[in-house]
């Protein structure tokens, strides 16, 4: 697929109509034209001339052609599509020219509207004081200045039998002029021009908010090659290279600090504005800013595979996805406009033919009904709010992979948590140790746990390293999900894990009694045993995160009253954590498949979201209506979940829920306003009271209104409220 940037899209409904026309072309069935991002995805075999002709009918045009791979890379780098590399000699002016062109077009439209409005006001003063032909000339000038683009597009569409808002407005204007309603025709043209300008401004604000997210990536990197330094484009970086990052510069890609120390701002990745101190051996993310100190970073991934590049690409894709609400509205609008046109025809014909009505009066009423037939306000009721919500969350380090997931987040009533690393710190420590066979216990536990990355294994290794235990490498290692690990050490088979993995012949009453005593204290038990005896056991505790209790409280206040913990730990341990943080239900001893089954069971009671680490909880994340991962930039989290919290805590989750609920409320409100105003306008036709200016206000006024309401999602008020609740 090739991608084009499209300029001059006039409205969401017109964009949808053009997409349908392009899809009728040969090889065009996979084409996608997005009003939200102003981009067209097209099969390379589609005739560009035919596509340009369709776009031209609406005053739109293609700005640039690029392959999808190059386009994604360019987006990830934050380049404007017209911005060229320095070697072509035009980079200094490309973006500025495009910006000034767009700004100039907007300024021209604004000035024309001002002149038209002045002329319209002047017509009231001149009415009766100048010849009628001169007054008509004033009206005609105002109509042409404010509506000439609409009129040209509308005539082209009319001759092509394409019925967009421009077509309907053109018919209404011609009809109004034909019956001598110059004053109302002028007002309709001015209001429609004002509506287009405000609609473009509102959508531009949302697009600009998204573009700011796409500009966080650096464009070049300073590579160390022996004693020399080479500045290279970011796309040429390779894993293993060393790059120099000075204070104030952006880190070019994911890597490890090889030398130096400094304060790094990771807001581009996590949304956290507070800088983190980084030193040798620490991980850093591409796009984060080195505030102070010189850093030498060893690149782990090419930029295209970095966390930031993936985030930017997914955010870019997310704004183009359509939610169930949007799809329903689009289907509805296909039938709505033809229905209104048929109604307009009936309004014009039936009263004069069968009820003795006056032709000119009911022709006027029918023209007004035509204007009511525009579904722009209805179609815009959802996408601006959705894109604004995605951008707002992305700014906070919360990656929502599509509007459908944002809508879903606002509808969930049950939130299920994995315990370790989400509600707790994920850094457990050994609190107590009971040893039955000291020569073997530590050596076997060290040998088996040394190769594991599980948090409990790390806690055991931290304890054993303090004792200076010498151990050998295990053989025939077998991991058993939710239970532990089995392996051969010095030719003997041993098991390390919970009671489920230990042979019943090795468990005696004394061991079980002491294990239960530790569990009663809320400790997680890890035993080491051979086939015949338990060598010893560790009692491990994970510290609860400081913010967990406040987060759960804020989540409940947001309307999610059922919270659940699903954990592989002992039931008593899980219940202790649930009690301390305020979670309503707790389930322990759960294998990955048990978690998935429990999620399906909970789904019978309502919409369920699951929060996990994106790896061990993959089955549960997939089974839930919504999968949320705590990512901190990890590939698995980004790929697995529907929503990724790029922080290593839940602090921003209540805010994300609040934004999602706000978006859903705004969409419902916008739909009610859009349909409600149209219904009122249509009802006015019964007594014959519908006028052209009332008709245009019912749609154009609604369009402007829903746009402005949707833009409130970008404000900081909701975010501040949520943060105060969790502080």
């Amino acid at each position: 697929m090739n991608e084009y940037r499209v300029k001059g899209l006039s409205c969401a409904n017109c964009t949808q109509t053009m997409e349908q026309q392009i899809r009728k072309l040969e090889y065009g069935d996979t084409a996608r034209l997005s009003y939200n991002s102003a981009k067209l995805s097209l099969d390379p075999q589609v005739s560009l001339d035919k596509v340009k002709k369709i776009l031209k009918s609406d005053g739109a045009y293609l700005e640039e052609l690029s392959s999808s791979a190059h386009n994604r890379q360019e987006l990830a780098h934050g380049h404007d599509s017209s911005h060229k590399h320095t070697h072509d000699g035009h980079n200094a002016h490309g973006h500025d020219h495009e910006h000034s062109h767009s700004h100039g077009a907007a300024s021209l439209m604004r000035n024309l509207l001002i002149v038209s409005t002045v002329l319209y006001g002047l017509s009231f003063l001149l009415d009766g004081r100048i010849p009628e032909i001169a007054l008509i000339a004033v009206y005609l000038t105002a109509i042409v200045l404010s509506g000439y683009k609409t009129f040209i597009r509308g005539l082209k569409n009319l001759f092509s039998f394409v019925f967009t808002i421009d077509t309907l407005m053109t018919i209404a204007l011609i009809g109004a002029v034909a019956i001598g309603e110059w004053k109302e025709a002028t007002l309709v043209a001015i209001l429609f021009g004002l509506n287009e300008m405000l609609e473009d401004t509102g959508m531009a604000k949302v697009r600009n908010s998204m573009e700011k997210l796409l500009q966080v990536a650096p464009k070049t990197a300073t590579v160390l090659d022996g004693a020399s330094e080479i500045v290279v484009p970011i796309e040429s970086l390779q894993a293993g290279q060393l790059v120099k990052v000075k204070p104030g510069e952006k880190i070019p890609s994911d890597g490890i600090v090889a030398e130096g120390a400094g304060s790094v701002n990771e807001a581009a990745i996590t949304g956290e504005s507070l800088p983190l101190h980084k030193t040798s051996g620490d991980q850093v993310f591409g796009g984060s800013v080195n505030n102070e100190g010189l850093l030498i970073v060893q690149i782990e991934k090419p930029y295209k595979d970095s966390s930031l590049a993936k985030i930017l690409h997914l955010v870019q894709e997310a704004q183009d996805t359509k939610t169930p609400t949007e799809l329903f509205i689009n289907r509805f609008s296909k039938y709505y406009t033809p229905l209104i046109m048929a109604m307009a025809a009936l309004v014009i014909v039936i009263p004069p033919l069968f009820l003795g009505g006056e032709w000119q009066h009911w022709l006027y009423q029918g023209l007004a009904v035509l204007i009511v037939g525009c579904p722009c306000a209805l179609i815009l009721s959802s996408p601006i709010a959705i894109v604004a919500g995605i951008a707002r969350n992305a700014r906070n380090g919360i990656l929502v992979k599509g509007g459908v997931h944002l809508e879903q987040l606002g509808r969930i009533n049950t939130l299920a948590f994995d315990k370790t690393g989400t509600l707790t710190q994920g850094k457990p420590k050994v609190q107590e140790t009971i040893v039955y066979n000291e020569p073997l216990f530590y050596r076997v536990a060290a040998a088996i746990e040394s190769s594991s990355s599980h948090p409990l294994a790390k806690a055991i290794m931290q304890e054993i390293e303090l004792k200076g235990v010498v151990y050998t490498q295990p053989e025939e290692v077998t991991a058993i999900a939710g239970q532990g690990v089995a392996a051969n050490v010095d030719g003997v088979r041993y098991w390390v894990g919970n009671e489920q993995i230990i042979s019943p012949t090795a468990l005696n009453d004394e061991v079980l009694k002491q294990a239960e005593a530790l569990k009663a204290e809320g400790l997680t038990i890890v035993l080491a045993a051979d086939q015949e005896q338990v060598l010893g056991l560790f009692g491990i505790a994970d510290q609860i995160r400081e913010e967990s209790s406040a987060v759960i409280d804020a989540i409940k206040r947001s309307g999610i009253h059922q919270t659940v913990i699903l954990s592989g730990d002992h039931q008593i341990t899980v219940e202790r954590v649930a009690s301390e943080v305020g979670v309503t239900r707790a389930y322990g001893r759960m294998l990955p498949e048990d978690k998935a089954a429990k999620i399906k069971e909970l789904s019978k009671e309502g919409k369920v979201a699951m929060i996990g680490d994106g790896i061990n909880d993959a089955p549960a994340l997939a089974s839930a209506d919504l999968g949320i991962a705590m990512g901190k930039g990890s590939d698995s989290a980004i790929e697995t979940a529907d929503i990724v919290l790029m922080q290593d805590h839940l602090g921003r989750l209540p805010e994300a829920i609040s934004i999602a609920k706000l978006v859903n409320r705004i969409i419902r409100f916008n739909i009610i306003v859009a349909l409600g105003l149209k219904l009122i306008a249509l009802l006015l036709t019964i007594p014959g009271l519908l006028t052209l200016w009332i008709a245009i206000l019912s749609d154009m006024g609604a369009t402007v209104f829903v746009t402005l309401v949707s833009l409130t999602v970008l404000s900081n008020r909701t975010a501040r409220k949520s943060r105060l609740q969790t502080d």
Side-chain angles (χ1 to χ4, degrees):
M1 297 291 282
N2 287 343
E3 283 192 355
Y4 294 79
R5 191 180 291 266
V6 182
K7 291 291 183 180
L9 294 176
S10 60
C11 73
N13 181 44
C14 304
T15 301
Q16 180 184 324
T17 301
M18 286 190 292
E19 181 187 70
Q20 293 167 356
Q21 290 179 283
I22 293 172
R23 287 188 171 187
K24 292 178 182 178
L25 298 177
E26 188 177 10
Y27 306 112
D29 54 327
T30 59
R32 288 193 62 188
L33 179 59
S34 170
Y35 180 67
N36 295 353
S37 61
K39 284 184 173 54
L40 170 65
S41 299
L42 203 61
D43 189 298
Q45 300 179 82
V46 176
S47 169
L48 287 181
D49 290 337
K50 292 180 180 179
V51 171
K52 289 177 181 177
K53 186 177 180 181
I54 291 172
L55 294 175
K56 191 177 179 181
S57 68
D58 191 56
Y61 59 94
L62 298 179
E63 181 189 72
E64 173 214 359
L65 171 65
S66 64
S67 69
S68 58
H70 176 70
N71 188 71
R72 282 198 302 270
Q73 185 182 66
E74 200 165 56
L75 285 171
H77 295 163
H79 286 289
D80 191 286
S81 296
S82 64
H83 190 85
K84 309 298 182 186
H85 292 298
T86 55
H87 63 260
D88 72 332
H90 300 289
N91 71 305
H93 305 288
H95 179 70
D96 290 341
H97 174 73
E98 177 202 335
H99 177 75
S100 60
H101 175 76
S102 301
H103 181 70
S107 298
L108 176 62
M109 186 62 195
R110 183 172 63 250
N111 292 336
L112 291 177
L113 280 173
I114 291 173
V115 174
S116 298
T117 304
V118 171
L119 288 175
Y120 184 68
L122 187 63
S123 69
F124 285 91
L125 298 176
L126 298 176
D127 194 2
R129 299 181 182 181
I130 61 173
E132 186 177 357
I133 188 67
L135 187 62
I136 290 175
V138 173
Y139 286 132
L140 186 59
T141 302
I143 290 172
V144 170
L145 289 177
S146 58
Y148 73 96
K149 286 186 176 180
T150 300
F151 191 72
I152 292 172
R153 290 195 301 257
L155 281 179
K156 290 179 179 178
N157 290 344
L158 187 59
F159 290 129
S160 302
F161 296 99
V162 176
F163 293 97
T164 66
I165 176 57
D166 297 313
T167 316
L168 300 181
M169 289 299 300
T170 298
I171 294 172
L173 283 173
I174 293 173
V177 168
I179 62 177
E181 294 289 347
W182 287 97
K183 185 177 292 186
E184 293 212 28
T186 305
L187 180 60
V188 166
I190 292 173
L191 287 175
F192 186 72
L194 177 63
N195 169 78
E196 276 200 320
M197 186 184 74
L198 292 176
E199 185 179 326
D200 287 346
T201 301
M203 199 65 218
K205 185 176 178 64
V206 175
R207 288 175 186 151
N208 289 339
S209 179
M210 189 65 72
E211 285 297 324
K212 287 180 181 178
L213 294 172
L214 302 177
Q215 293 171 3
V216 298
K219 297 172 179 60
T220 60
T222 303
V223 176
L224 299 180
D225 186 8
S228 61
E229 298 179 3
I230 306 172
V231 178
V232 300
I234 191 173
E235 60 266 21
S236 68
L237 280 179
Q238 299 295 322
Q241 287 182 317
L242 293 175
V243 297
K244 182 179 181 180
V245 186
K246 299 176 183 177
E249 292 183 342
K250 292 178 180 177
I251 295 169
S253 188
D254 297 358
I256 300 292
V257 177
E259 296 179 29
S263 172
V264 175
N265 188 331
E266 295 182 347
I269 296 290
T270 67
E272 302 286 8
S273 58
L274 292 178
L276 298 174
H277 182 73
K278 300 288 184 177
T279 187
S280 180
D282 288 341
Q283 185 178 24
V284 289
F285 297 106
S288 52
V289 179
N290 180 18
N291 288 344
E292 59 183 8
L294 180 66
L295 296 178
I296 306 299
V297 177
Q298 182 174 23
I299 299 300
E300 287 187 310
K301 304 173 183 175
Y303 180 75
K304 64 179 181 179
D305 296 328
S306 69
S307 303
L308 181 60
K310 289 182 179 180
I311 290 169
L312 297 182
H313 177 57
L314 287 171
V315 169
Q316 181 69 22
E317 284 190 330
Q319 66 174 324
D320 291 337
T321 62
K322 285 184 169 63
T323 68
T325 301
E326 288 179 283
L327 293 172
F328 171 77
I329 290 174
N330 289 343
R331 288 195 300 269
F332 176 79
S333 65
K334 289 180 182 178
Y335 302 101
Y336 173 77
T337 300
L339 179 65
I340 292 295
M341 292 181 68
M343 186 181 296
L346 293 175
V347 168
I348 292 171
V349 173
I350 290 179
L353 286 181
F354 301 104
L355 302 175
E358 183 184 350
W359 277 103
Q360 183 168 332
H361 172 76
W362 287 103
L363 175 61
Y364 177 89
Q365 291 287 299
L367 294 175
V369 171
L370 270 184
I371 296 176
V372 178
C374 172
C376 279
L378 186 61
I379 290 176
L380 271 182
S381 60
S382 177
I384 293 182
I386 288 289
V387 176
I390 291 172
R392 189 78 184 84
N393 278 314
R395 206 184 300 162
N396 293 335
I398 299 168
L399 175 60
V400 182
K401 291 188 178 180
V404 61
H405 305 308
L406 186 68
E407 277 196 357
Q408 198 77 290
L409 180 62
R411 293 173 179 166
I412 60 172
N413 48 39
T414 299
L415 201 52
F417 299 86
D418 175 47
K419 179 181 71 67
T420 304
T422 52
L423 296 172
T424 63
Q425 295 177 7
K427 297 178 181 178
K429 290 186 178 181
V430 174
Q431 302 292 325
E432 291 192 38
T433 305
I434 299 176
V435 182
Y436 302 114
N437 188 328
E438 188 160 352
L440 281 177
F441 176 53
Y442 290 112
R443 187 160 58 86
V444 168
I448 293 179
E449 298 288 48
S450 62
S451 60
S452 174
S453 60
H454 193 282
L456 294 181
K458 290 181 178 180
I460 290 171
M461 289 307 299
Q462 186 178 20
E463 176 74 9
I464 291 175
E465 284 170 3
L466 295 175
K467 299 181 178 299
V469 175
V470 178
Y471 56 91
T472 58
Q473 291 301 312
E475 297 176 345
E476 298 183 25
V477 179
T478 304
I480 303 174
Q483 297 183 15
V485 180
N488 290 348
V489 179
D490 297 331
V492 181
R493 194 68 170 172
Y494 293 97
W495 291 264
V496 174
N498 57 36
E499 301 99 305
Q500 293 173 283
I501 200 174
I502 305 300
S503 170
T505 59
L507 292 171
N508 56 48
D509 292 342
E510 179 63 23
V511 171
L512 293 174
K513 181 179 178 181
Q514 290 184 310
E516 290 300 321
L518 293 179
K519 291 175 191 175
E521 297 175 17
L523 300 179
T524 298
I525 307 303
V526 175
L527 304 94
D530 58 21
Q531 186 68 33
E532 302 298 332
Q533 63 173 330
V534 172
L535 307 176
L537 54 88
F538 297 98
I540 304 171
D542 191 4
Q543 303 301 307
I544 294 174
R545 290 180 179 273
E546 292 182 5
E547 74 278 2
S548 292
S549 181
V551 166
I552 296 298
D553 188 48
I555 287 171
K556 289 179 179 178
R557 287 201 300 271
S558 73
I560 300 175
H561 300 296
Q562 179 161 261
T563 50
V564 180
I565 295 180
L566 305 178
S567 175
D569 283 349
H570 192 276
Q571 182 67 27
I572 296 176
T573 303
V574 180
E575 288 177 351
R576 177 182 65 85
V577 173
S579 176
E580 289 190 28
V581 302
V583 170
T584 52
R585 296 159 72 176
Y587 300 92
R589 289 293 187 213
M590 304 207 82
L591 300 174
E593 56 268 29
D594 297 328
K595 292 183 180 181
K598 180 58 69 174
I599 288 292
K600 291 178 181 178
E601 181 183 324
L602 292 170
S603 295
K604 297 176 182 178
E605 304 173 16
K607 299 290 184 182
V608 180
M610 172 69 190
I611 303 177
D613 61 12
I615 304 173
N616 297 332
D617 297 305
L621 289 171
S623 299
D625 295 297
L626 192 68
I628 305 175
M630 294 183 62
K632 193 64 174 180
S634 68
D635 293 342
S636 57
I638 293 175
E639 292 169 3
T640 303
D642 304 314
I643 296 176
V644 182
L645 309 179
M646 300 308 296
Q647 311 87 15
D648 61 352
H649 59 77
L650 297 174
R652 291 294 182 97
L653 181 59
E655 182 177 341
I657 294 171
S658 295
I659 291 172
K661 287 183 177 292
L662 174 64
V663 167
N664 286 353
R665 286 198 302 272
I666 285 176
I667 291 173
R668 288 194 297 269
F669 178 74
N670 285 347
I671 291 173
I672 291 171
V673 168
L675 290 178
L677 289 178
K678 288 181 183 296
L679 179 61
I680 292 171
L682 292 175
L683 289 175
L684 288 175
T685 61
I686 297 174
L689 298 177
L690 182 61
T691 62
L692 288 176
W693 67 269
I694 290 178
I696 197 168
L697 281 179
S698 74
D699 186 77
M700 306 307 138
T703 301
V704 173
F705 183 75
V706 300
T707 299
L708 294 176
V709 171
S710 296
L711 288 175
T712 61
V713 176
L714 291 173
S715 73
N716 291 321
R717 180 177 56 83
T718 302
R720 283 197 303 267
K721 182 178 179 182
S722 297
R723 276 200 291 268
L724 286 172
Q725 290 175 339
T726 56
D727 284 347

